[in-house]
Amino acid sequence: MSRLFSRDHKVIGKQFLWYGLFFLAWGGMMAMLIRWQLARPGVPFPVLGPLLWPSSGGVMPPHAYAVFFTMHGTIMIFFAVTPLLIGALGNFVIPLAIGARDMAFPTLNLLSFWTNVAAGVVLVVSFFVPLGAASGGWPAYPTLSTLVGQPGPGQTLWVVAILLTGTSTLMGAINYLTTIVRLRAPGMGWFRLPLTVWGLGLAAVLNALFVPVLSAGLILLLLDRVLGTNFFLAGAAVTKGGGDPLLYQHLFWIFGHPEVYILILPAWGVVSDLLSFFSRKPAFGYRATALAMTAITVLSAAVYGHHMFVVGLSPLLSEAFMTLTMLISIPSAVFFLNWLGTLWRGSIRFTVPMLFALGVVFVFGLGGLTGLHLGALSSDVYLHDSYFVVGHFHLTMAASVLLGAFAALYFWFPKMFGKEMDAALGRWHFWLTIVPLTLVFCGMLVLGYAGMPRRLYDPNTYEFLRRFQPLNAWLTWAAFVAGAAQVLFAVNFLTSLVAGRKASANPWQVGTLEWTVPSPPPHENFETIPAVLRGPHELGHPDARRKDWLAQDEELS
């Protein structure tokens, strides 16, 4: 029981890891069901279909489809990727990487995890209430998310669950920022931090600033549903007065676009470190990369309006948002080029973490380029609400973030559990994930350009889309291959925990502080707080003896 409610950051990080993996599996299964419906509308899903929908002979009904695409997005963003990249990675790595014994507020850390568990319980319960779980889309736009669009308690429980997980995230953000600012080891200046810590810290800044904005919108939505207020119901829909559904969209996307960077910033930090570690050379443009990530963090607060180009904003306002959106591509290009500079003429080791890091470079490049079409006002008007948006979003948020999470997990698994994962299975997992995922999401770009709307239950409803049904079927088979590849990861993960080879303290031969302590680390991490003498990427150093790297706290003889 004492371990279950431990305040040790490493234990809490592992708890977030298991929690995130559970919801990743659940959200992934929903994706498979959605893809089956798009590929074979009206055909029962094998085995699982008759169990879920016996009244329709195993065929997914339209309402169930709406529930599944709503909850798939909700679970993957708030309950899978966020716990994995921010909850697990942030909790485990930050104190170790900066030379601290624990988080600044261990009790708050404990409360953060269990508040998230409460959110997950509420979300699970919402599937079993009358009229089912939320079905108004993961952004929960009014009036789809009000009592007008969805009666029943399912949507109300969805709001409560997101409020709870937002509260958990806010606790974590306060803890991360305080820890990074106040508990860095002597000599650990800002430009001696690993870039992973930069990414996690900047994500915490965005969480601290913008999660309260989302919470404000959700509280108003909850009042509309429970107390009969009219914040998001237009005047024509109520007896007296009324609000504005677009107000919710403003509040949601003021948070929603920074949320993209909240999730991708930690992955960028991980990739920046791993490319250096496994190219066996210092990160190219370390300071420029850190400053570029900071610039993106600042600019991300001012570009949300490109999600609302088609709602009737003033053309002058739309042009301003378009300009700011294009401007954010400049620092993005800076650190992307720095990644290539790190790889150039490096002594590259194609370990499993390195493969996943290179995968992020590839899919994020695709996602970033397709984002330019949606940031431009003229092309977004055509592509908005089409499968082009779904493809772009999944390249940047699903593929990039998921591959980044796997890179981090394969890299820090030996430090977390003191065991090594099987490299051969890891390589199979990588190739059977990245190839089909790239096919699926690039195929979505093609479908969107052809005019296929998103959130569509049956593409055959429209005659002009019927000729694309073979493509939908092929994309579904590719998605199933990617889904099956995650079974390899589960087998590798679980068998390595039980029977994996014992890991050394520093199996990757890198110099950041977490690799200077045993695997797994002791309770308070360090016997004595280390003194930091150099940056995190001292690889190929001429003063190193009998090795090609120097630890951050290593004194030269």
Side-chain angles (χ1 to χ4, degrees):
M1 185 62 70
S2 61
R3 189 165 181 82
L4 188 62
F5 294 101
S6 172
R7 296 188 299 173
D8 186 336
H9 73 98
K10 298 181 293 296
V11 174
I12 294 171
K14 293 175 186 177
Q15 289 173 327
F16 268 113
L17 175 62
W18 287 106
Y19 178 84
L21 289 174
F22 166 76
F23 278 106
L24 182 66
W26 191 7
M29 178 54 67
M30 288 185 180
M32 299 301 101
L33 290 164
I34 292 168
R35 284 306 321 173
W36 178 272
Q37 169 60 27
L38 289 170
R40 308 194 70 185
V43 177
F45 192 90
V47 182
L48 200 55
L51 296 176
L52 291 174
W53 308 291
S55 61
S56 61
V59 176
M60 184 188 299
H63 176 71
Y65 183 80
V67 168
F68 273 40
F69 75 66
T70 297
M71 301 306 280
H72 165 70
T74 300
I75 287 172
M76 296 301 270
I77 291 172
F78 294 107
F79 292 90
V81 174
T82 298
L84 287 174
L85 263 180
I86 296 179
L89 180 64
N91 264 294
F92 188 85
V93 171
I94 287 176
L96 286 165
I98 67 172
R101 298 197 186 280
D102 207 321
M103 285 289 180
F105 307 116
T107 302
L108 188 66
N109 210 17
L110 170 69
L111 291 173
S112 172
F113 173 70
W114 286 104
T115 302
N116 218 318
V117 170
V121 170
V122 171
L123 196 77
V124 171
V125 168
S126 73
F127 280 86
F128 302 99
V129 297
L131 302 182
S135 60
W138 76 270
Y141 287 166
T143 54
L144 292 173
S145 57
T146 62
L147 292 174
V148 173
Q150 188 177 351
Q155 186 73 52
T156 303
L157 291 174
W158 182 95
V159 174
V160 173
I162 302 303
L163 281 170
L164 285 170
T165 195
T167 303
S168 166
T169 300
L170 194 57
M171 293 178 188
I174 293 168
N175 220 347
Y176 290 6
L177 289 173
T178 307
T179 302
I180 294 169
V181 171
R182 301 287 297 171
L183 299 186
R184 300 193 311 279
M188 178 67 83
W190 289 106
F191 291 110
R192 287 182 174 176
L193 288 172
L195 287 165
T196 298
V197 177
W198 271 98
L200 289 163
L202 292 170
V205 170
L206 290 175
N207 270 325
L209 291 174
F210 295 108
V211 167
V213 179
L214 174 66
S215 298
L218 292 174
I219 289 170
L220 297 181
L221 180 59
L222 188 64
L223 293 175
D224 276 7
R225 292 190 60 85
V226 175
L227 297 183
T229 56
N230 303 319
F231 291 106
F232 302 132
L233 288 173
V238 294
T239 306
K240 294 181 180 178
D244 185 356
L246 287 183
L247 171 61
Y248 177 89
Q249 290 194 35
H250 283 284
L251 293 173
F252 181 86
W253 287 115
I254 287 172
F255 157 82
H257 195 78
E259 171 68 4
V260 174
Y261 297 101
I262 287 167
L263 297 181
I264 198 68
L265 276 164
W268 285 343
V270 169
V271 169
S272 299
D273 279 336
L274 296 192
L275 293 182
S276 170
F277 294 154
F278 295 113
S279 295
R280 309 310 293 176
K281 56 182 286 196
F284 182 87
Y286 167 91
R287 290 190 177 220
T289 299
L291 293 174
M293 290 165 66
T294 305
I296 290 169
T297 301
V298 173
L299 287 170
S300 71
V303 301
Y304 81 92
H306 68 239
H307 293 274
M308 301 177 63
F309 279 158
V310 298
V311 303
L313 293 178
S314 161
L316 293 177
L317 190 58
S318 295
E319 286 185 5
F321 279 123
M322 180 179 69
T323 302
L324 288 166
T325 301
M326 295 301 176
L327 190 62
I328 208 171
S329 65
I330 297 174
S332 301
V334 168
F335 73 74
F336 194 91
L337 290 173
N338 285 348
W339 287 349
L340 301 182
T342 300
L343 292 169
W344 178 250
R345 303 184 72 177
S347 179
I348 298 175
R349 299 179 181 178
F350 290 104
T351 62
V352 176
M354 181 62 159
L355 288 175
F356 277 97
L358 292 170
V360 175
V361 175
F362 174 68
V363 295
F364 179 72
L366 290 176
L369 289 173
T370 56
L372 296 175
H373 300 79
L374 300 175
L377 182 57
S378 55
S379 54
D380 182 73
V381 169
Y382 172 75
L383 295 169
H384 194 90
D385 225 19
S386 75
Y387 253 80
F388 192 95
V389 178
V390 181
H392 159 73
F393 181 83
H394 279 79
L395 282 168
T396 52
M397 288 286 285
S400 299
V401 173
L402 187 63
L403 294 176
F406 282 132
L409 188 51
Y410 278 103
F411 182 71
W412 277 286
F413 184 91
K415 185 57 59 180
M416 282 185 173
F417 300 105
K419 301 289 184 69
E420 293 184 3
M421 294 183 76
D422 185 88
L425 276 179
R427 290 187 177 91
W428 277 106
H429 174 218
F430 169 73
W431 289 110
L432 291 176
T433 297
I434 190 170
V435 173
L437 278 189
T438 303
L439 292 174
V440 172
F441 301 146
C442 289
M444 289 177 176
L445 299 174
V446 174
L447 290 170
Y449 189 76
M452 180 172 166
R454 63 196 301 192
R455 309 184 187 94
L456 192 61
Y457 172 68
D458 182 359
N460 291 331
T461 302
Y462 299 97
E463 185 176 351
F464 80 97
L465 290 178
R466 289 175 188 167
R467 68 183 185 274
F468 293 106
Q469 198 56 27
L471 178 57
N472 258 318
W474 279 107
L475 297 184
T476 295
W477 289 119
F480 276 118
V481 171
Q486 309 322 305
V487 177
L488 289 178
F489 167 76
V491 169
N492 196 357
F493 184 87
L494 296 173
T495 56
S496 298
L497 281 177
V498 176
R501 186 171 58 184
K502 183 176 174 59
S504 64
N506 191 356
W508 309 117
Q509 299 297 293
V510 295
T512 47
L513 293 180
E514 72 269 27
W515 300 103
T516 64
V517 298
S519 300
H523 176 60
E524 290 192 335
N525 300 339
F526 303 93
E527 288 187 14
T528 58
I529 298 299
V532 176
L533 304 175
R534 58 186 59 84
H537 306 124
E538 296 295 339
L539 299 128
H541 198 286
D543 295 328
R545 297 290 184 266
R546 296 183 299 277
K547 52 187 175 61
D548 69 340
W549 58 277
L550 288 174
Q552 286 192 273
D553 63 341
E554 182 177 347
E555 295 185 3
L556 296 176
S557 56

